[in-house]
Amino acid sequence: MKHLIQGAFWLGLYVIVSLLPLCVVFLGPRPPGRDFITELSVALGFVGLAMIGLQFFLTARFRHIEAPYGLDLILRFHREISTAAFLIILAHPALLFWRDRSFELLNLPQQPPRVWFATLSLLALVGLIVTSVWRTSLKLEYETWRVIHGSLAIATLGLAMGHVIGVGHYIADLWQQILWILMGIASVTVLLWIRVFKPLSFLRHPYEVTQIRDEGADVYTLRCEPVGHEGFDFDAGQFAWLTLWDSPFSIEEHPFSMASSALETEFLEFTIKELGDFTADVHHLPEGATAYIDGPYGAFSFERYPAAGYVFLAGGIGITPIMSMLRTLADYGDTRHLLLIFAAKQLENLTFREEIDALHDRLPHLETIYVLNDPPDDWDGEQGYVDAAMLDTYLPEYPARYQYFLCGPYPMLINVEKALLACDVPTTHIHAELFNLV
Ligand SMILES: Cc1cc2nc3c(=O)[nH]c(=O)nc-3n(C[C@H](O)[C@H](O)[C@H](O)COP(=O)(O)OP(=O)(O)OC[C@H]3O[C@@H](n4cnc5c(N)ncnc54)[C@H](O)[C@@H]3O)c2cc1C
């Protein structure tokens, strides 16, 4: 309920701030002799500009804003709403072309600087969208893309502000000036917060890597202990951004789920599978190395959804947030019915299998089903893929009384979600974590 109210509050605030610039157009003194099309075009331009400004807030990882939705939902909204903002902004010049029945505004050498600002801002926005939508086709590494993305976002907003000041119609009154200055200050503050104040705070709250455990099959667990501070509390299943080898001012940080129990206050553990350059180097870290951790984030946690029991469906390294939930439930001494269906390619990819088997002593109603795609000859567990028929065999008698947590590769999530729905699991009871935010 608390998250529902918070969510409604932030959504309402988002709508109000997006539409606030309309007050500037419709409440303030209007330039004389302007037709409706011009005013509509200006109004749409302002709404689009406010939406672009708000994107900085959406991606700044403010925990209060993120908490009700989870970061992946916020980032999805950020992506979808940028297309809407782009179309709204595009309508601004389109209406002017239509009004003039001419494209003279595109004849840039004949145009004043304010039109140049507008054109360059729009081009920066196009660049922003193209590099984001086609990042993998353009073979842009994540870190390179992040630098490009941030630079183009600042350019889009800065050039658009240059355009507004150049046009000068809506900055005449004191209250209009105050509004624009406040919006400008807010955007700059967010940038300073992300790039300066937050990293400074991490510098004062470092962690030490005190243990690196080989879990087999190119998976390693890092234990990180807070140095000179208490660390942070988290809900089992949440994740954090990890910076290793670098200062907290570095652009390179990677998201990982906490795998340790949420009741463990001495340390955090992350279990990481080798995938690319960052994850492949993790086990080369010397013990005693410094880590910076930004968290917790995410809404993927049983703590949020009270239920008669829980069903966990993990694929491969997707076991990490689920392991945190199981360890936490064991620490609570939970006696509810828990079902874990853990699918992996081969036996060695069932990370934590021994510990999970041992957890049955502490979780009396834990049921575990292992599923292998490529099992050894003497395997007597399930094999193949998790599908509706398999779920039908193992799901509890009253599926609607349970909450369901899925984490694994994208194709698995899609298929398992469909299968759960086919087994009469209510859609609102299904919670998925995808290890890919971009
Ligand atoms: C919420 C969440 C929780 C995760 N938890 C775990 C976990 O517990 N254990 C685990 O092994 N993996 C986890 N991952 C995946 C992990 O973040 C990526 O495997 C890792 O960032 C890849 O980095 P790389 O440089 O080694 O590989 P690369 O080959 O450089 O990247 C592979 C892909 O990972 C994504 N990626 C790379 N860098 C970043 C970044 N800085 N931020 C976001 N995405 C990035 C991109 O889609 C990229 O295409 C999680 C991911 C998310 C989003």
Side-chain angles (χ1 to χ4, degrees):
M1 191 63 184
K2 180 182 134 207
H3 287 129
L4 212 65
I5 295 170
Q6 276 181 346
F9 170 76
W10 289 119
L11 197 63
L13 194 64
Y14 181 90
V15 174
I16 290 172
V17 176
S18 306
L19 299 180
L20 203 59
L22 288 183
C23 303
V24 176
V25 180
F26 292 118
L27 297 185
R30 289 198 234 155
R34 299 241 298 205
D35 55 60
F36 174 73
I37 294 293
T38 310
E39 292 299 328
L40 180 66
S41 150
V42 170
L44 290 175
F46 275 126
V47 171
L49 179 60
M51 286 166 83
I52 295 291
L54 281 168
Q55 297 284 44
F56 286 82
F57 290 82
L58 289 178
T59 53
R61 295 192 218 148
F62 288 118
R63 263 199 289 280
H64 289 300
I65 300 180
E66 186 264 356
Y69 313 101
L71 197 61
D72 50 348
L73 198 65
I74 295 243
L75 292 181
R76 219 180 308 155
F77 180 73
H78 163 70
R79 281 194 290 272
E80 309 291 335
I81 209 73
S82 46
T83 313
F86 175 64
L87 293 176
I88 289 174
I89 288 174
L90 214 55
H92 170 53
L95 282 171
L96 297 180
F97 296 147
W98 188 58
R99 176 200 64 186
D100 299 343
R101 305 286 192 273
S102 132
F103 291 104
E104 182 54 25
L105 280 171
L106 291 181
N107 184 6
L108 289 179
Q110 306 297 321
Q111 297 298 337
R114 61 172 187 270
V115 181
W116 281 85
F117 278 125
T119 311
L120 290 174
S121 172
L122 200 56
L123 286 176
L125 186 56
V126 171
L128 198 74
I129 292 174
V130 168
T131 50
S132 302
V133 175
W134 290 285
R135 178 180 72 89
T136 33
S137 316
L138 291 168
K139 297 201 171 27
L140 283 176
E141 273 192 16
Y142 180 80
E143 282 71 33
T144 317
W145 168 79
R146 238 184 119 182
V147 174
I148 295 174
H149 197 71
S151 314
L152 287 176
I154 294 171
T156 304
L157 197 63
L159 289 162
M161 288 306 283
H163 172 66
V164 172
I165 293 167
V167 173
H169 285 324
Y170 297 97
I171 52 173
D173 275 14
L174 181 66
W175 72 271
Q176 290 174 325
Q177 287 166 6
I178 291 174
L179 189 70
W180 289 122
I181 289 169
L182 283 181
M183 286 181 111
I185 288 177
S187 304
V188 173
T189 310
V190 173
L191 283 178
L192 286 175
W193 157 256
I194 300 170
R195 288 275 124 239
V196 182
F197 298 124
K198 228 173 149 191
L200 274 177
S201 148
F202 294 141
L203 213 51
R204 288 195 300 270
H205 298 91
Y207 287 74
E208 182 185 341
V209 178
T210 53
Q211 211 183 84
I212 301 174
R213 287 200 308 274
D214 186 348
E215 308 280 2
D218 298 329
V219 175
Y220 296 88
T221 293
L222 295 192
R223 175 174 291 187
C224 303
E225 294 183 25
V227 180
H229 61 101
E230 307 240 301
F232 56 77
D233 293 333
F234 67 95
D235 287 344
Q238 287 191 296
F239 69 96
W241 296 81
L242 200 58
T243 302
L244 300 169
W245 295 287
D246 271 315
S247 93
F249 292 94
S250 148
I251 195 87
E252 177 147 20
E253 48 176 357
H254 291 253
F256 295 100
S257 302
M258 272 71 76
S260 44
S261 164
L263 301 193
E264 177 54 69
T265 53
E266 303 285 305
F267 58 79
L268 299 170
E269 281 189 350
F270 300 93
T271 297
I272 299 176
K273 184 170 178 57
E274 280 188 17
L275 183 70
D277 47 356
F278 182 89
T279 44
D281 276 347
V282 155
H283 66 284
H284 295 309
L285 265 181
E287 280 186 14
T290 301
Y292 299 101
I293 304 176
D294 177 14
Y297 293 103
F300 186 72
S301 178
F302 73 87
E303 304 270 15
R304 290 186 174 222
Y305 308 98
Y310 297 100
V311 176
F312 301 107
L313 295 123
I317 196 62
I319 188 68
T320 54
I322 288 171
M323 195 61 198
S324 174
M325 292 197 245
L326 290 173
R327 283 169 167 160
T328 307
L329 286 161
D331 286 350
Y332 278 137
D334 201 279
T335 52
R336 283 172 288 183
H337 177 216
L338 309 170
L339 169 64
L340 167 67
I341 300 182
F342 185 6
K345 198 159 183 265
Q346 294 176 324
L347 193 59
E348 59 178 10
N349 303 115
L350 290 174
T351 309
F352 303 128
R353 187 158 78 107
E354 281 175 18
E355 189 185 337
I356 292 169
D357 289 342
L359 275 179
H360 287 89
D361 296 340
R362 298 168 64 208
L363 292 169
H365 299 114
L366 170 65
E367 208 185 322
T368 313
I369 312 295
Y370 296 116
V371 185
L372 292 183
N373 302 143
D374 181 10
D377 292 339
D378 57 351
W379 178 249
D380 58 0
E382 285 286 354
Q383 44 184 293
Y385 293 99
V386 180
D387 56 16
M390 195 185 289
L391 288 180
D392 207 33
T393 312
Y394 296 110
L395 284 194
E397 197 181 343
Y398 300 103
R401 293 187 187 168
Y402 286 67
Q403 295 282 341
Y404 298 74
F405 292 88
L406 284 58
C407 187
Y410 186 68
M412 174 186 166
L413 292 193
I414 297 295
N415 289 328
V416 170
E417 193 170 343
K418 271 193 210 143
L420 285 173
L421 293 173
C423 293
D424 295 330
V425 173
T427 182
T428 50
H429 287 214
I430 303 175
H431 316 284
E433 184 81 296
L434 187 61
F435 278 1
N436 196 353
L437 290 173
V438 285

